[in-house]
Each structure stands twice: as C-alpha cells, then as structure tokens.
Amino acid sequence: MSNQRFKAIENSHIRSSVEVEEAGRRSEYFGVNVFNEERMLQYLTKEAYDRVKAAVVSGAKIDRKVADQVAEGMKTWAISMGATHYTHWFQPLTGSTAEKHDAFFDFSPEGRLMEKFGGGQLVQQESDASSFPNGGIRNTFEARGYTAWDPTSPAFLYGTTLCIPTVFVAYTGEALDNKAPLLRALGAVDDAATAVAKYFDKNVSKVYATLGWEQEYFLIDKSLALSRPDISLTGRTLIGHSAAKGQQLDDHYFGVIPGRVLNFMKDLENECTKLGIPVKTRHNEVAPNQFELAPIFEETNLAVDHNLLLMDVMEKIADKHHFKVLFHEKPFAGINGSGKHNNWSLSTDTGVNLLSPGSTPMKNLQFLTFFVNTIKAVDNYEELLRSSIASASNDHRLGANEAPPAILSIFIGEQLNEVLNELEGVSKGKLSPEEKTELKLNVVGKIPEILLDNTDRNRTSPFAFTGNKFEMRGVGSKANCAKPMTVLNTIMAKQLLSFKKEVDQLVDKKGLKKDEAIFNVLREYIKTCKRIRFEGDGYSEAWENEAKSRGLSNNKNTPQALRVLTSKESLALFKSMNVMSEIEVRVRQEVELEEYVSHIQIEGRVFTELAYGYVIPAAVAYQNKLIKNVMGLKEVYGAAHKKMSESQLDIVERISEHIRDIKIKTDAMVEERKKANNMVDINKKALAYCDHVRPYFDQIRYHCDKLEQLIGNEYWPLSKYRELLFIK
C-alpha cells in the first residue's frame, strides 16, 4: 500500500490549477438559476404572483388552481434554462439533503409524449419514509411519507434539475425532517417578537430571524485523500503523527491563498452566485489547508437551505479541481478543527435590526429589551441549546482549547455588563422623573457609544454578543444549522411571550407606564440570569468549577447532551410553541443517538482495518528488514556485530511492543463493540459506545503513531500529515 501513498504524492505534485473563466460582475448574474421574484413576475400571472407572495409573508395557503399556474410558470422557465427533470429537495433527519428526480414528460391521453408538470407535482410528492431515519415512527410496510412545497424558499436550477425546497412529513403528519420544525419556530418567534416590537413601533407587522453562517473546511489533494481509508470512510484521520510543523507559526491565518485553492474558490463563488447564495468573504483559516467562507446575512430558513446547498456545491467543485473537501469538525489531531459560527439576529419588516442600538433612548430601550430577553432565554434553556450542537464529530471539537467549551455561557463585554449592572438598580414600580432622565441620558443613551468601543471579543465564548448580533460558536462545520436555529428561535419566542405578559400586567394592574414596566421587568431578568454571563477564559479549570457552582450544565459528550431533549421542560416548551409534538421530539432523540452509535461503530471498524491491514503489516515488514540487517552484520562481523546492531535490535523490540499493544487494544475494542451491539435500548447502547468503545480509539492511535515514527518512511502505507496538510 506504500506504493499507493507514493503514487498519490506524485499525482499531487504534478497537479496544475484548473483555470476558471472570469464571469463578470456578480451583480449581473446573481440568482440567474433561481425562480425568484424577477422570474415570478416574468412567468406568473398577477394572481399567482400575489398568492405566492402572501404565502411567503403571512403563510397564506395556495389553492390548486394557483399551484397549477405556478407549476406551469416554473416548468416553462426551467425548460428554457435547459432543465430536463424536477425534484422535491428536502432535509431528512440524516442532517444533509435528499432528492428523487423525475423527468418533465408524460404520455398524453392520445399516447403522445409531452412535457408535464402540474400543481400536484409541485405541491406534494410521496416518498418512502422507512428508508430515512424515523425513530421507529413508521413501519416498513406502512412507510408512506410526503414532501410538501415550501414557497418561502425559492426553487432553483441545479445542473439540469429544477429543485423545489420542501418539508418531509410522515403519512400521519409528524415531521421527519429538519425544515418543518424550523419553519414552525420561525413562525413562533415572528409572532412573539412582532408583539413586543409594537411597543416601540406600531408599524411593525413582521419580524424575521436572520442568520449569517461562517463555513470552515479543509481542502486536501484528492489522491492523498483516496490513499487514506479513514478519510474516505469517516471524514477524518483516525491515526497519524503530527507533522514537525503545524500551526504554531501562525503563518497560514489570513495568508496568501494558494493558487489552486484560489481557483477553486473563484469557481465556487461563480456557482454560488448563479444559485443566489450571497457568498462574500473568503480567507485562510488558522490550520494549514484550512479555509473559510461566509455570506451576507439572510432570512434564517433561506440561509439554512443555502448552507446545505453550498456544501453540496463545494464537494462537486472540489472534485473538479482534484481536491477533497473535509467538513468533519476534527479531521486532524493536534491542529484546529472546523466550526460553523451561526450569527443570529432579529429584524423587522420596517428594516430595523432589533439587536442593534439606535440613535434615541427609545430605540436603545428597544435594543435592551431584545438583548436582555435573549440572555434570559439562553439562561433558561442553556442545556437544551447545548444539545442542538451535539454530534459524534463535534465532541472532538467542543472544549478542545480551540473552540467553545461544552459549558454554555454568554459574553457581552465589559461595557455592556456595566450597563446591565446599572439597570439592576432601577427602582421597583414607578420611576421618578429624575431617575427616568438619568436612565435615558446616561445609561440607555450611551449604548451606541459603548458598542463603538466594545471590540474585546472573547473567542472562547460559546454565545457572544458582537455588536448587532449574537454569535453561536459551537455549531459543527458539517452540521445542519436548522437544529440550533430551531431551538434558539423557539426559546426566544417563549421568552418574549413571557416578557410581554409581565409588562402588560404591570401596565394594566399596577398602573405603570409602558417604559416603566419594561424597565421593571428587565431589571428582574438581569438579576435572575447573571449565572449565564461570563467574560473570562472558557477553557480554565476554575471556570469549570465555577460553572458547576452556578448550576450550569457541562455535558461533554453527545449521549449526555441529548438527554435533556425529553425532559418535561423541553417537551412542554416545544409543545406550547407548536414547534414539535412529544413524538417528534422523541423521534429526533432516538435518531441522533442511532447516528452517534453508527459513527462510532464505523470508526471502530475502520480502526480494525487500519491496524490489521495497514499498520501491523508495515511494522512487520520493516522489522524483517532490520532483522535481516542484523543477521547480515553477524555473518560478516561475527561476535563483533552485537555492538553494531544494538540500535536495530532496540527498534525491533519497540516495534514488537507496539504491535502487541495495538493487537490487544484492537481486540478488546472489538469485544466491547460486540457487547454494545447486543443492547436493545438505544440510550444504553450509545453510552456503551461512548464509555467503553471510544476510549480505545486514542489508545490504539497512540501506538500506531509511535510506529509511524519508528518505521522507515518508504514502508509507511498511509499519507502522512506533512503530505496531507502541506502539499498545496
């Protein structure tokens, strides 16, 4: 297999950049492959256009007659663009997307072939629900599931296929995807936030949750990736000794983008632009061969769809440029992993960012209202929010001194902490004219000035306020953003409903003025959610101890983190906000535990293959060479060979020790896997894989990596870190 490694190295060295044609000004071709407003105005009747817009803005239903008109317009446009097929593009609980392509033709009653696509095909399609993760909600023999059109996310042309974003539900109505709960959560936060925003502006009729994700990833040469079974099957290197040089020189971050990579980025941006994905920023990340791209903020549902589409496009473009793109959160040991920061805010249909301070005390009171309520929401449900970013791959990253810790806390900066401390001292009940003036001029009125200088960003904070948004940093690089966004928007909706109820009671029953009531409620929130605010080092042992004393959760692995999903509080939350039923929540918990088990199981099997099929044979072959060398020395020099072969024999013995330990640990790991596989209860099985199987991985890796150092380079069969990370 070492021949495969050296052939891969040779191929990577002779690569030339794939040339990319300049596509012109991006504004001229942005969204050309999207059935957006411009296309709808061109291809739809006024009635159909108005009904689709009403569905997007207010959730109005689209009847069959209008659906037929929309379908005809979509088909005409798509075929004019070269489309031959259409698909319902949906997000099953696998975390990625799924699609089934059907051609745009059928037989007419007279038996002639004709292009056909009607409202029935647009609005709903039937799919086999048993073939996707469903948590046992459907039996194979009664496995019907349906995809249903989501008009809030525009259809798009991908290759020669018209892709129609849809939700995916079981025949009995339960959501079997990530989009349906997200849409419900966004509807809930819209209603709750709009009601509160009307305190400050009666013209507000809708509030949108916005999302700006930051996608980190690694790019490695395709030949090198294919020479590694672990990368091919698990997305990460299970073994591999660190290169002599890693990221310690800080010379990759924001450095000059390598030529091959830059051409990949250009090609990717061209495709994204055509698909209406507003990518804006690109740069080198901290680790070698690690990069990042980020778009302009969008409405959350559309942003989630665009991120999922982007990852698919990235894989296709990477292959074209002879790269393999790695989205795994920790593909290489000893250097930074990859995340996907979720920058979240709320914006009104009047164009106001509710988490951005304004130019007047009243606008700043609006900012404080949504700012403090966000802190309160996270404080109330920090463990649930932590569960939304849990996965087998993200367990490698969280708390690894490079990413946010597993303990959820909020960083807001020293200056805003001082503002909240002052607001904590607001008098209970009615405020004197002097106190109102002091608050509005010297506390609330200074917020824009404070934020202008609030540049101290704590990179260890899992949930940080960064000027006009909150940045959720624990999301994994290959995750579907719908999961954390569903939880965040649900808890925010719940909190805003409670806030409005409390304010209205003070106004109606205590006779307080609106701003007095708001100050009173915010004061109590500031007092009760102090535990979640933390400005220090999230990696320190002192913080871990302090967080425990504050009553904050510290779930360090996925099985622990997912337990909260089915707590009474969580089930009541999702049910009260009409986001998920108890069945839907329990399905998700079971699916995520099954996914966790499957990932660890696959990694365990690959470890066995690497140990017995690659590492041990290579070690024995090199050992035989050393033994042959020793025997040759003995034959030539006789008894004098002992001193001359002392070092060789020492290496032979050390190799034998590592081979023995690899076999012992691998065999023990296999036995633990067998025990876990016999468990029926998915919770117990997940814990068994976590506590009894996974710990062997690091032990096996240790001995494999030691052998990599001992064995001659020409004998080692797997591409090394220096090759994977430094061949551009």
Side-chain angles (χ1 to χ4, degrees), residues 322-333:
H322 309 293
F323 282 123
K324 171 74 174 176
V325 59
L326 302 182
F327 292 117
H328 194 286
E329 284 80 0
K330 193 70 175 177
F332 302 100

Side-chain angles (χ1 to χ4, degrees), residues 128-145:
D128 183 352
S130 71
S131 300
F132 292 105
N134 57 64
I137 200 171
R138 307 296 297 140
N139 295 314
T140 302
F141 65 84
E142 52 180 13
R144 280 187 296 172

Side-chain angles (χ1 to χ4, degrees), residues 170-311:
Y171 179 63
T172 47
E174 294 89 0
L176 292 175
D177 70 344
N178 289 301
K179 179 185 271 281
L182 175 64
L183 290 172
R184 296 170 190 163
L186 294 174
V189 82
D190 171 19
D191 292 341
T194 298
V196 173
K198 284 182 179 292
Y199 283 149
F200 308 97
D201 183 357
K202 297 293 185 183
N203 295 317
V204 173
S205 59
K206 189 173 182 62
V207 171
Y208 300 92
T210 61
L211 170 64
W213 38 261
E214 303 169 25
Q215 182 68 61
E216 294 178 341
Y217 61 98
F218 281 83
L219 274 182
I220 60 175
D221 186 86
K222 182 166 63 174
S223 293
L224 296 174
L226 291 174
S227 73
R228 298 276 313 213
D230 46 1
I231 291 178
S232 298
L233 296 176
T234 72
R236 74 179 182 106
T237 55
L238 298 181
I239 63 175
H241 197 279
S242 298
K245 177 187 175 184
Q247 61 190 45
Q248 62 267 50
L249 297 180
D250 297 323
D251 56 348
H252 191 259
Y253 189 54
F254 278 26
V256 176
I257 299 173
R260 272 183 72 195
V261 176
L262 186 59
N263 276 2
F264 158 80
M265 290 178 170
K266 288 179 180 178
D267 209 352
L268 174 64
E269 288 176 357
N270 288 345
E271 291 303 311
C272 286
T273 301
K274 294 174 185 176
L275 289 165
I277 306 173
V279 292
K280 182 177 177 66
T281 302
R282 65 189 186 201
H283 64 83
N284 290 1
E285 257 299 335
V286 173
N289 276 356
Q290 185 187 33
F291 308 94
E292 179 182 300
L293 74 112
I296 299 170
F297 281 47
E298 297 181 283
E299 184 275 327
T300 298
N301 178 45
L302 183 58
V304 169
D305 283 0
H306 278 166
N307 180 248
L308 291 169
L309 178 57
L310 169 98
M311 290 193 286

Side-chain angles (χ1 to χ4, degrees), residues 482-530:
K483 290 164 63 177
M485 287 297 102
T486 295
V487 173
L488 180 55
N489 286 287
T490 300
I491 64 176
M492 188 60 176
K494 178 72 172 177
Q495 176 53 42
L496 289 172
L497 289 176
S498 299
F499 171 77
K500 187 173 188 305
K501 183 178 179 180
E502 292 181 56
V503 170
D504 289 348
Q505 284 179 341
L506 288 177
V507 172
D508 297 338
K509 296 182 179 180
K510 300 291 185 179
L512 270 63
K513 292 183 178 179
K514 180 182 66 179
D515 55 349
E516 291 175 329
I518 291 172
F519 275 124
N520 270 264
V521 175
L522 293 181
R523 179 196 62 233
E524 296 306 308
Y525 287 173
I526 292 167
K527 289 180 180 179
T528 57
C529 63
K530 277 186 173 182

Side-chain angles (χ1 to χ4, degrees), residues 621-690:
Y622 186 64
Q623 200 176 42
N624 288 339
K625 180 179 181 180
L626 292 176
I627 292 171
K628 186 177 180 180
N629 174 258
V630 171
M631 293 174 66
L633 289 172
K634 182 179 180 180
E635 185 178 336
V636 174
Y637 294 100
H641 86 282
K642 290 184 178 179
K643 187 173 183 180
M644 301 170 65
S645 60
E646 185 178 331
S647 296
Q648 293 92 313
L649 289 172
D650 176 65
I651 295 173
V652 168
E653 291 174 6
R654 289 162 64 189
I655 288 174
S656 291
E657 291 171 1
H658 288 302
I659 290 174
R660 183 189 67 244
D661 286 335
I662 288 172
K663 184 182 184 305
I664 291 172
K665 302 295 185 185
T666 302
D667 291 349
M669 181 264 291
V670 170
E671 289 305 311
E672 290 296 337
R673 271 178 31 221
K674 290 178 180 177
K675 292 178 186 177
N677 290 339
N678 287 327
M679 296 179 180
V680 177
D681 185 283
I682 188 60
N683 291 281
K684 292 179 180 178
K685 183 183 283 190
L687 285 171
Y689 266 96
C690 180

